[in-house]
Amino acid sequence: MHACVGVRHPFIMLLRLPLVLARFLNNGRLRMLFLGLMLLLLMGILLTYRWQTNVQLCFIETEPAESASSGPVTDGNAPVPRILDDVLTTEPKPIPGRSIFFHETSCHRPKRKRQRPDSQYNMLQLTARQACAIESAALHNPNFQVFVLFASPTYLHYGNSSTGGSSGYQRHQSIIDAILSYKNVHLRQLNLWRYAAGTPIEEWLKDGRLFRSSYLFSHISDFLRFLTLYRYGGIYLDMDVVMLRSMEDVPPNYTGAESNTHLAAGVMSLAPTGFGHEIAEACLQDFQRNFDGSDWGNNGPGVITRVAQKICATKDIALMLEDRKRCRGFKVFDRNAFYAVPWKHWRHFFEPQLLEQTMAHTKDSFLVHVWNKHSKQLAIKVGSSTAYGKYAEQHCPRAYAAAGDYF
């Protein structure tokens, strides 16, 4: 018997498709169902496209703007908010290898038209906890410059907390004033495309894959931390840390283990030249080669883990910790350095009964990571006996005092 007997040839099935479709559409209920499904599909495509377009607008300068350093301009009687200075063009610029970087990638574009005169602007917003991370870095590392880089065009109010306004505005302005009271703290904005120009990831960014991510703001943060370390070297820190001691004299080229299987990308240091710059370039290459917009951790912790595995010629984190020579000078700190309290135990920072235990557990840490993704909704009363409160009181006293009743 011929091998094709009893098997429908794909070409014959294709010819029958119009007949099947015609019979299907002759059935009124099936026709309505089909049209409804097509309409839903079309609406989904349009909404997805509109969301991606609107979100991408967060990171594009829609019109030229005066910078904050040029002084206030008034519109009638009200001062017009001014855009933050660009990190690439404004002095002081980051000192390669002697700067600490934080990134803020959120978008605060207004969802509806409001009566406030500044509603058209993406205003600078920092929480007291973010300010605490910045202040603790500036306090413990006075010889380093601390740069807070905003990924979207961000505007700053003029005046200070004593010039009036609502209590919420005054409290927010007090938080900004607290960090700007440190001479080594600088608030800057960046344009993603200009910032990537001339780097190994410039062409990849133009492709638009980044903006199709399911975790867009997190993945922009991942993108920027490796790009910043490529540009300047220095230290990158997440915004949900509290630094407990100086890191000025720690030799560069390091990260920290978060578990027995993965390194973390929340604290990283690379030298601006030589081996450190080679590692940063390897991270950028890995980021674009293995980018997965559907996986939250693949493009941050995943990148530094894969790069370190190649450098150290092993996937065994324990071997990376034991022998720095194996990693050619790249240092992998154990969990106690940056992640002594793992994310599953984030509540330990907030529970008074665990105060002494948590403080003892982190006494040798360079910093603590408070896992904002999980803890951001849990406020603590200023003055309460919690580990997080005690850290803040000692290591970011100005931001803690500016927080109001709750931190």
Side-chain angles (χ1 to χ4, degrees):
M1 182 178 289
H2 196 280
C4 292
V5 173
V7 179
R8 293 183 184 271
H9 193 282
F11 182 70
I12 297 175
M13 295 180 66
L14 186 62
L15 290 176
R16 290 176 56 85
L17 183 61
L19 296 175
V20 174
L21 185 60
R23 291 177 183 174
F24 176 79
L25 293 179
N26 279 334
N27 185 310
R29 290 183 178 179
L30 291 177
R31 183 167 61 249
M32 293 299 294
L33 177 61
F34 176 76
L35 292 175
L37 290 173
M38 290 300 295
L39 181 61
L40 287 174
L41 177 62
L42 181 60
M43 290 176 62
I45 293 173
L46 290 174
L47 287 173
T48 301
Y49 175 78
R50 183 179 179 183
W51 181 84
Q52 290 177 348
T53 302
N54 286 342
V55 170
Q56 191 163 347
L57 286 175
C58 287
F59 304 97
I60 298 175
E61 295 167 357
T62 56
E63 60 184 22
E66 295 290 335
S67 68
S69 61
S70 60
V73 169
T74 59
D75 180 8
N77 294 324
V80 176
R82 307 298 293 276
I83 195 167
L84 291 180
D85 295 316
D86 192 297
V87 65
L88 294 178
T89 59
T90 305
E91 297 290 347
K93 296 177 182 178
I95 301 172
R98 301 290 292 177
S99 298
I100 297 172
F101 297 95
F102 295 91
H103 296 133
E104 173 54 64
T105 58
S106 301
C107 179
H108 301 293
R109 288 169 63 88
K111 296 181 180 179
R112 62 181 184 276
K113 192 172 183 179
R114 291 177 264 179
Q115 299 302 313
R116 287 170 54 99
D118 60 4
S119 62
Q120 62 182 302
Y121 301 105
N122 181 29
M123 300 305 299
L124 188 152
Q125 297 185 37
L126 288 174
T127 67
R129 293 182 181 182
Q130 290 174 320
C132 180
I134 298 163
E135 181 182 356
S136 66
L139 176 67
H140 287 298
N141 302 276
N143 298 309
F144 273 41
Q145 299 301 304
V146 178
F147 284 84
V148 186
L149 305 183
F150 292 80
S152 59
T154 302
Y155 291 76
L156 181 67
H157 279 290
Y158 271 94
N160 53 48
S161 56
S162 64
T163 60
S166 67
S167 59
Y169 165 75
Q170 290 184 19
R171 182 166 57 253
H172 179 262
Q173 191 61 39
S174 294
I175 291 171
I176 302 300
D177 292 343
I179 59 173
L180 290 180
S181 66
Y182 289 84
K183 299 302 182 183
N184 59 334
V185 171
H186 311 282
L187 307 181
R188 298 283 189 267
Q189 64 136 345
L190 58 86
N191 174 282
L192 290 174
W193 293 269
R194 288 199 300 268
Y195 201 59
T199 73
I201 209 163
E202 176 182 9
E203 292 303 317
W204 182 88
L205 179 61
K206 295 176 182 178
D207 176 70
R209 289 181 61 194
L210 181 60
F211 293 96
R212 296 191 289 273
S213 167
S214 299
Y215 304 94
L216 179 61
F217 299 119
S218 293
H219 289 164
I220 289 179
S221 178
D222 293 332
F223 170 84
L224 283 175
R225 68 190 68 189
F226 299 118
L227 181 54
T228 293
L229 291 175
Y230 177 85
R231 276 192 165 276
Y232 301 111
I235 301 172
Y236 166 80
L237 298 176
D238 275 352
M239 282 271 223
D240 55 350
V241 304
V242 182
M243 189 167 281
L244 308 181
R245 66 188 79 252
S246 175
M247 299 190 72
E248 289 182 347
D249 296 327
V250 180
N253 300 333
Y254 60 79
T255 190
E258 183 183 340
S259 68
N260 293 327
T261 58
H262 280 82
L263 307 182
V267 181
M268 294 186 292
S269 168
L270 294 176
T273 58
F275 185 45
H277 191 65
E278 292 174 12
I279 296 172
E281 183 171 2
C283 288
L284 289 181
Q285 297 291 358
D286 183 279
F287 183 93
Q288 54 191 307
R289 182 170 56 249
N290 296 303
F291 183 80
D292 183 354
S294 66
D295 188 332
W296 178 83
N298 179 74
N299 312 306
V303 168
I304 193 62
T305 298
R306 289 188 295 269
V307 170
Q309 288 171 347
K310 290 181 179 179
I311 293 171
C312 305
T314 182
K315 293 186 176 181
D316 191 331
I317 303 296
L319 290 178
M320 296 182 190
L321 295 171
E322 291 171 4
D323 184 9
R324 190 174 184 182
K325 291 182 180 179
R326 165 183 283 276
C327 297
R328 299 159 50 196
F330 183 67
K331 171 73 172 178
V332 177
F333 283 96
D334 65 27
R335 281 179 287 183
N336 287 329
F338 311 131
Y339 310 101
V341 177
W343 71 266
K344 291 182 179 180
H345 297 154
W346 65 267
R347 286 186 177 273
H348 289 199
F349 293 118
F350 298 85
E351 297 178 355
Q353 67 271 24
L354 295 176
L355 168 62
E356 293 185 5
Q357 174 185 323
T358 304
M359 299 293 282
H361 196 53
T362 58
K363 63 181 178 63
D364 296 322
S365 300
F366 283 102
L367 56 81
V368 292
H369 202 120
V370 297
W371 310 108
N372 179 66
K373 182 180 178 182
H374 306 284
S375 66
K376 60 184 177 182
Q377 300 300 331
L378 186 58
I380 58 175
K381 189 171 179 58
V382 170
S384 62
S385 295
T386 62
Y388 197 5
K390 295 298 182 184
Y391 295 137
E393 187 176 1
Q394 181 177 354
H395 302 287
C396 59
R398 300 178 192 177
Y400 191 57
D405 295 331
Y406 289 90
F407 175 74

